[in-house]
Amino acid sequence: MANILVTQHIGDEGVQKLCEAGHAVTYRDETEPMTPDELQTAVLDVDGLVCLLTDRVDTAVLNAAANLKMIANVAVGYDNIDLAAATERGILVSNTPDVLTETTADHAFALLLAIARRIPEADTFMRAGKYDKFEMFPPLLGLDVYGKTLGIVGLGRIGTAVARRGALGFGMKVLYTANSRKMAVEQELNAARATLPELLRQSDFVSINVPLTPETRHLFTLETLRQMKPTACLINTARGPIVKEDDLLTALREKTIWGAALDVFEAEPQMTSGLAQHHERLVVAPHLGSATGDTRQKMVNTAVKNLLVGLAGQKPPDVLNTEIADQANE
Ligand code: GLV
């Protein structure tokens, strides 16, 4: 039997599975993360941790958690966990890939269409009773999507799923950045690998799909945004700090780029002051990429499964520090 801490609300199904496996579960059924001090105290006797992307599992938490064997993050991104420090301490870490890929790509594409056709602005316009005449060239003219160029910054699982929607659904030409060439995707979608400056220069829509790392933090500054076409849109469904939000606001105000759609923010849940007041050609959503009921439940089930397997001394299917799992199973 292991002591398991579930840091925030994940619904009863996942918690029940942990209990049914015979573990002692402390379920903090709250929708706010703990403070760093609270988390450090809560992990003292814990063997297994189920946490969300808003829980910062840093060295202070890891040092406090002397018994910790495994962390199951209920998210595909894991920049909230100090993976290197966990690995040094022999703690397994898992995430929830695959189950959210298509859902998140749907959302990225929804945002792309919403910004291109100015759907939120149109909705506000209608509700304000401003539609009093049909015009050939209305104030809310949008952009074509079909046949345009889609630049994917980071052709991983989600980036590929966004690319597929663009190429197969909307006849888009796909450019991508990645650490290596993705031959299968190139063949399937007629996609071409490009450097970031090439991609920015040529794309009509730029979708950010890289993880947050020291290398990608502030990858998009005013300098980067200036390399985009003035008719192009930026879509970020990855992590907020990849875009320097003050610079994006400047770029939108100065019309350096045409528009932006953001699902994630630099200091979530806050937005840089000014963004909330900027309505023109800016779409914002509260980190909803994977937020369908089915997918969120699959993410919980995936995290729970990983934790149960890891605590049973086997290799969790989505382990991130495979070296530890392999060592333990040698
Ligand atoms: C959501 O942002 C996730 O990483 O799963």
Side-chain angles (χ1 to χ4, degrees):
M1 187 197 77
N3 284 330
I4 295 174
L5 171 67
V6 180
T7 59
Q8 294 187 55
H9 177 77
I10 60 162
D12 292 341
E13 196 178 317
V15 178
Q16 212 172 324
K17 283 191 178 125
L18 294 170
C19 294
E20 279 166 7
H23 297 299
V25 182
T26 305
Y27 179 30
R28 187 177 165 273
D29 192 3
E30 305 280 343
T31 53
E32 295 277 340
M34 281 178 257
T35 63
D37 281 350
E38 284 168 347
L39 184 56
Q40 282 166 40
T41 307
V43 295
L44 286 178
D45 294 324
V46 159
D47 304 289
L49 184 66
V50 177
C51 58
L52 304 195
L53 58 84
T54 48
D55 296 310
R56 184 138 298 281
V57 185
D58 54 16
T59 48
V61 172
L62 296 172
N63 288 342
N67 294 341
L68 192 59
K69 291 165 194 68
M70 165 123 193
I71 304 166
N73 208 32
V74 194
V76 67
Y78 49 89
D79 48 279
N80 58 312
I81 297 172
D82 189 334
L83 181 62
T87 307
E88 259 173 40
R89 291 158 179 75
I91 300 167
L92 292 165
V93 181
S94 66
N95 66 343
T96 61
D98 303 317
V99 290
L100 49 61
T101 300
E102 301 301 340
T103 305
T104 307
D106 281 350
H107 190 61
F109 227 87
L111 291 178
L112 187 156
L113 291 170
I115 184 62
R117 301 308 300 270
R118 308 179 73 163
I119 303 297
E121 285 181 81
D123 186 88
T124 305
F125 187 86
M126 279 305 288
R127 291 172 198 277
K130 290 188 181 164
Y131 182 44
D132 54 5
K133 59 183 181 295
F134 175 86
E135 289 179 74
M136 199 59 201
F137 295 97
L140 293 178
L141 281 178
L143 296 173
D144 278 320
V145 174
Y146 193 88
K148 295 291 178 142
T149 298
L150 173 60
I152 306 285
V153 179
L155 196 80
R157 294 183 192 85
I158 297 170
T160 302
V162 176
R164 222 170 250 133
R165 281 158 179 74
L168 306 179
F170 290 82
M172 298 177 94
K173 175 178 167 189
V174 173
L175 299 176
Y176 72 92
T177 65
N179 294 334
S180 60
R181 273 186 77 180
K182 311 284 178 183
M183 301 308 287
V185 181
E186 290 193 16
Q187 266 161 23
E188 181 194 349
L189 305 180
N190 203 17
R193 185 165 169 228
T195 62
L196 183 61
E198 283 165 359
L199 181 148
L200 296 172
R201 237 185 349 262
Q202 293 178 43
S203 297
D204 299 299
F205 297 92
V206 174
S207 173
I208 301 179
N209 296 108
V210 277
L212 176 63
T213 63
E215 291 73 42
T216 62
R217 183 175 293 273
H218 286 177
L219 184 62
F220 282 79
T221 59
L222 199 51
E223 195 188 327
T224 333
L225 295 164
R226 284 194 176 125
Q227 294 172 55
M228 290 172 63
K229 295 183 188 181
T231 51
C233 295
L234 183 70
I235 296 106
N236 188 9
T237 52
R239 283 291 182 268
I242 297 168
V243 177
K244 198 168 175 207
E245 236 164 69
D246 281 336
D247 282 11
L248 177 64
L249 182 59
T250 305
L252 289 169
R253 282 184 176 151
E254 293 177 357
K255 299 201 165 29
T256 306
I257 63 172
W258 194 88
L262 307 175
D263 190 46
V264 285
F265 302 89
E266 214 175 329
E268 251 173 78
Q270 261 90 49
M271 285 196 272
T272 288
S273 90
L275 269 188
Q277 285 73 44
H278 190 97
H279 296 281
E280 205 187 341
R281 302 182 197 169
L282 173 67
V283 178
V284 286
H287 205 145
L288 294 176
S290 63
T292 65
D294 285 350
T295 291
R296 286 282 163 92
Q297 189 58 53
K298 283 183 197 162
M299 290 165 67
V300 168
N301 295 348
T302 302
V304 164
K305 183 172 174 194
N306 273 288
L307 188 66
L308 291 177
V309 172
L311 290 177
Q314 283 143 28
K315 184 174 175 171
D318 304 303
V319 68
L320 292 161
N321 38 11
T322 38
E323 59 273 43
I324 296 186
D326 291 340
Q327 262 169 27
N329 285 291
E330 260 168 19

